[in-house]
């Protein structure tokens, strides 16, 4: 019963098999292999246009370098107050981009457009002492399991365009959001006005595979140097490409995300049927936040369940009582129905 994070899951067998197959071959290094080129072409097909794709090792690297690519001296990047780039990346986006992250409030993990407009207005382009607006980043799916609708992405993108700012999307759980919205990768990104995407594969069955996607290749003309100087140019980059080869083949990635979301739905439904536990707020991705008695949480942990206790956001609609605990549960491609049902049974018994 491993619900702590989708990062805890291993790699999907098809991806392991593809890596093993690649390990016996010789191929050009530093992204120049035929496999690297073929996966770059696959991204063009997937996003329905010519894009520039760069493989990196981690989501933090993807976010940090994507923002560094659009950095301006004295620049500020606007993000939700609970976004990964401002809360969980040890200042790496600030370090690599030289820009400061500015928090924008909004319920359910999503920036409110009016709050974003107000924050941007504080930093005009001639604000020498305070810095100037330079970029916007949004997380899809968000850190609290919610998802920006296409209309909400449109609203954020319009603000970016009105202010001449590039829009970055942190897609660590990109596939989970895509499945939930039932749209194409193009419809959730550049067709809405997204300029740069951090495309995550590690949380969804890959071993170590992330990509930075530029929807306007002109934005990426200097990025190869930026990636090299940040030590993210792998000599054997074909092993990242090999993971994406298996990941994208026959839409495996969508199937894995769909399974994870379905297991999260099973958890959500199960919590709704319990008298002693309840959902903290609605989610639609593979993250579930629940409030349950401390006795139930302890019993589950003693029987092998793994999850994280979670700090309550300021805007949480359900209040946590003294004898209760708020927990975060994340499902993955490896989560089984038995895992979910066993956890819910323990909670019901406790």
């Amino acid at each position: 019963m491993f619900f702590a994070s989708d990062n805890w899951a291993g790699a999907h067998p098809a991806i392991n098999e593809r890596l093993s197959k690649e390990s016996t071959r010789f191929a050009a290094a530093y992204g120049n292999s035929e496999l690297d080129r073929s996966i770059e072409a696959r991204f063009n097909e997937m996003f329905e246009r010519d894009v520039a794709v760069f493989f990196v090792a981690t989501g933090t690297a993807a976010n940090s370098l994507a923002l560094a690519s659009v950095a301006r001296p004295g620049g500020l990047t606007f993000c939700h107050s609970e976004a990964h780039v401002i809360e969980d990346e040890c200042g790496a986006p600030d370090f690599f981009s030289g820009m400061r992250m500015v928090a924008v409030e909004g319920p359910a993990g999503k920036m409110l457009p009016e709050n974003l407009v107000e924050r941007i207005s504080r930093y005009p382009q001639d604000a020498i002492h305070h810095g100037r607006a330079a970029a916007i980043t949004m997380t899809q799916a968000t850190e609290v399991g919610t998802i920006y609708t296409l209309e909400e992405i449109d609203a954020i993108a319009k603000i970016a365009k009105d202010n001449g700012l590039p829009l970055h999307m942190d897609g660590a759980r990109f596939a989970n959001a895509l499945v939930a919205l039932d749209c194409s990768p193009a419809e959730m990104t550049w067709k809405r006005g997204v300029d740069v995407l951090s495309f995550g594969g590690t949380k969804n069955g890959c071993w170590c595979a992330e990509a930075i996607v530029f929807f306007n290749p002109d934005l990426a003309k200097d990025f190869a140097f930026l990636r090299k100087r940040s030590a993210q140019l792998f000599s054997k980059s074909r092993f990242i490409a090999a993971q994406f080869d298996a990941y994208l083949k026959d839409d495996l990635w969508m199937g894995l995300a769909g399974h994870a979301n379905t297991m999260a739905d099973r958890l959500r439904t199960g919590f709704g049927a319990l008298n002693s536990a309840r959902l903290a707020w609605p989610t639609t991705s593979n993250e579930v936040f629940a409030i349950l008695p401390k006795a139930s949480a302890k019993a589950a942990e003693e029987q092998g369940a793994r999850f994280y206790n979670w700090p309550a956001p300021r805007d949480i609609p359900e209040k946590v009582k003294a004898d209760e605990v708020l927990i975060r549960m994340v499902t993955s491609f490896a989560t089984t129905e038995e895992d979910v049902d066993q956890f819910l049974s323990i909670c019901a018994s406790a």
Side-chain angles (χ1 to χ4, degrees):
M1 296 178 288
F2 292 98
F3 300 108
S5 173
D6 35 13
N7 284 322
W8 282 41
H12 187 271
I15 291 168
N16 284 329
E17 182 180 350
R18 185 64 185 84
L19 281 168
S20 179
K21 182 179 179 181
E22 193 62 32
S23 69
T24 62
R25 298 178 175 179
F26 283 81
Y30 299 110
N32 294 312
S33 73
E34 292 183 7
L35 178 58
D36 283 273
R37 298 300 185 218
S38 71
I39 300 306
E40 290 170 4
R42 187 97 54 91
F43 271 85
N44 291 340
E45 296 171 5
M46 180 169 61
F47 285 103
E48 305 171 36
R49 67 179 296 165
D50 287 340
V51 299
V53 184
F54 298 86
F55 304 146
V56 295
T58 69
T60 296
N63 289 336
S64 300
L65 297 184
L67 293 173
S69 72
V70 298
R72 305 178 68 188
L76 304 167
T77 298
F78 299 88
C79 61
H80 190 270
S81 57
E82 297 172 42
H84 208 266
V85 292
I86 198 171
E87 284 288 322
D88 296 293
E89 294 184 346
C90 198
D94 308 61
F95 176 79
F96 282 98
S97 71
M99 299 195 293
R100 178 160 48 97
M101 302 296 118
V102 177
V104 178
E105 299 295 336
K110 297 185 283 189
M111 292 181 286
L112 275 179
E114 54 267 36
N115 290 349
L116 178 58
V117 169
E118 190 277 330
R119 291 295 282 176
I120 291 173
S121 70
R122 298 187 190 183
Y123 303 98
Q125 293 301 305
D126 59 353
I128 297 297
H129 298 288
H130 305 293
R132 55 181 173 172
I136 300 171
T137 179
M138 62 191 307
T139 314
Q140 182 76 329
T142 74
E143 278 74 24
V144 297
T146 56
I147 293 172
Y148 284 93
T149 65
L150 299 184
E151 293 74 19
E152 288 171 333
I153 299 174
D154 284 336
I156 299 298
K158 183 179 185 304
I159 295 169
K161 184 177 181 180
D162 289 346
N163 288 275
L165 306 178
L167 176 59
H168 166 255
M169 177 178 283
D170 174 358
R173 295 188 174 96
F174 184 81
N176 301 98
L178 203 61
V179 168
L181 289 181
D182 190 24
C183 65
S184 72
E187 289 171 332
M188 201 171 76
T189 55
W190 67 267
K191 288 186 177 182
R192 310 251 77 80
V194 176
D195 298 295
V196 189
L197 167 69
S198 295
F199 181 90
T202 304
K203 292 181 185 293
N204 193 37
C206 290
W207 172 71
C208 174
E210 308 286 320
I212 302 169
V213 182
F214 293 87
F215 297 109
N216 177 0
D218 288 342
L219 286 176
K221 60 184 180 181
D222 295 323
F223 189 80
F225 295 94
L226 181 60
R227 181 176 61 168
K228 176 64 175 178
R229 292 189 68 185
S230 60
Q232 284 294 315
L233 175 59
F234 280 45
S235 59
K236 298 182 180 180
S237 68
R238 71 183 190 277
F239 286 101
I240 297 180
Q243 292 175 73
F244 280 133
D245 189 28
Y247 186 64
L248 300 175
K249 184 178 181 180
D250 298 326
D251 282 338
L252 174 65
W253 66 299
M254 297 293 281
L256 300 182
H259 174 80
N261 286 8
T262 298
M263 292 301 98
D265 287 338
R266 193 178 186 91
L267 271 175
R268 286 184 275 264
T269 300
F271 279 121
L274 291 176
N275 293 324
S276 60
R278 61 197 183 279
L279 294 174
W281 58 81
T283 59
T284 47
S285 68
N286 63 320
E287 291 184 277
V288 178
F289 295 81
I291 299 170
L292 59 157
K294 291 180 178 178
S296 296
K298 182 179 180 182
E301 286 184 308
E302 289 175 347
Q303 295 185 55
R306 295 294 178 264
F307 50 82
Y308 282 127
N309 291 351
W310 208 252
R314 289 187 294 275
D315 61 345
I316 183 173
E318 290 282 346
K319 300 303 178 185
V320 183
K321 301 174 184 176
D323 61 345
E324 295 178 325
V325 62
L326 169 63
I327 67 170
R328 185 193 77 164
M329 306 181 71
V330 188
T331 54
S332 73
F333 77 93
T335 304
T336 66
E337 292 183 357
E338 290 73 20
D339 294 332
V340 173
D341 294 346
Q342 184 181 357
F343 182 89
L344 294 170
S345 177
I346 294 169
C347 290
S349 298

